[in-house]
Amino acid sequence: NYGVNDATTAALGLPFAWSGPVAFITSFVTCFAVIISVAKDLPDVEGDRENDIKTFATWLGTGKVAMASVALLMLNYTAAMVLGVTHPGIFRSAVMTGGHFICACLLLWQASKLHHTGYSQEGIKQFYRFLWNLFYCEYAMYPFI
């Protein structure tokens, strides 16, 4: 995020300057990466329990950790939508608000699917893969925010 921006501007001989989109994407994906780092233990919770490995998922349970991940991501998406509405001079409001609204709705849909599987192993694996798809989606939106 920041490093790619810094390297690109340096290669082009441009002076470094923080911009709203660079600061946003850096903050947003850092929060997202922290959430993914906790959620990564969800698919392997059975193996972690068998090997007495302490993780949030083995300690609190997969359902609580998955829903906490959803709640934190929803806060992240809400912040992005608020920035899109309150800072139209910095961000393209339609992309910041609309794009993140769509991602938030898809996240809620996936969380509902996970809940209806009873937090089954297959449901957890699908949920975790979906989190990565949302992560990549953010980078796809970045040039347009």
Side-chain angles (χ1 to χ4, degrees):
N1 310 324
Y2 162 74
V4 171
N5 182 68
D6 188 41
T8 304
T9 55
L12 296 172
L14 301 172
F16 172 77
W18 275 104
S19 69
V22 170
F24 165 76
I25 194 72
T26 301
S27 301
F28 188 94
V29 298
T30 298
C31 292
F32 208 127
V34 169
I35 295 163
I36 284 178
S37 73
V38 171
K40 75 175 176 51
D41 292 322
L42 290 171
D44 193 36
V45 72
E46 292 171 9
D48 290 343
R49 281 190 186 122
E50 288 172 7
N51 293 297
D52 201 32
I53 297 171
K54 303 294 181 203
T55 65
F56 284 117
T58 59
W59 178 44
L60 299 171
T62 55
K64 287 181 182 176
V65 172
M67 290 304 110
S69 298
V70 170
L72 292 171
L73 286 172
M74 289 302 294
L75 287 173
N76 218 16
Y77 284 125
T78 300
M81 290 183 278
V82 168
L83 285 171
V85 170
T86 60
H87 293 82
I90 298 173
F91 302 105
R92 292 184 184 106
S93 292
V95 177
M96 277 293 280
T97 306
H100 290 103
F101 178 76
I102 290 168
C103 288
C105 289
L106 291 172
L107 174 62
L108 291 175
W109 172 68
Q110 189 67 31
S112 175
K113 283 178 54 177
L114 174 61
H115 180 73
H116 285 96
T117 70
Y119 302 94
S120 69
Q121 191 64 22
E122 186 56 35
I124 289 168
K125 287 178 182 177
Q126 288 177 2
F127 176 76
Y128 183 66
R129 280 191 300 267
F130 185 78
L131 290 182
W132 277 104
N133 290 337
L134 285 176
F135 188 78
Y136 299 137
C137 183
E138 195 60 38
Y139 281 107
M141 280 193 294
Y142 173 65
F144 307 102
I145 62 169

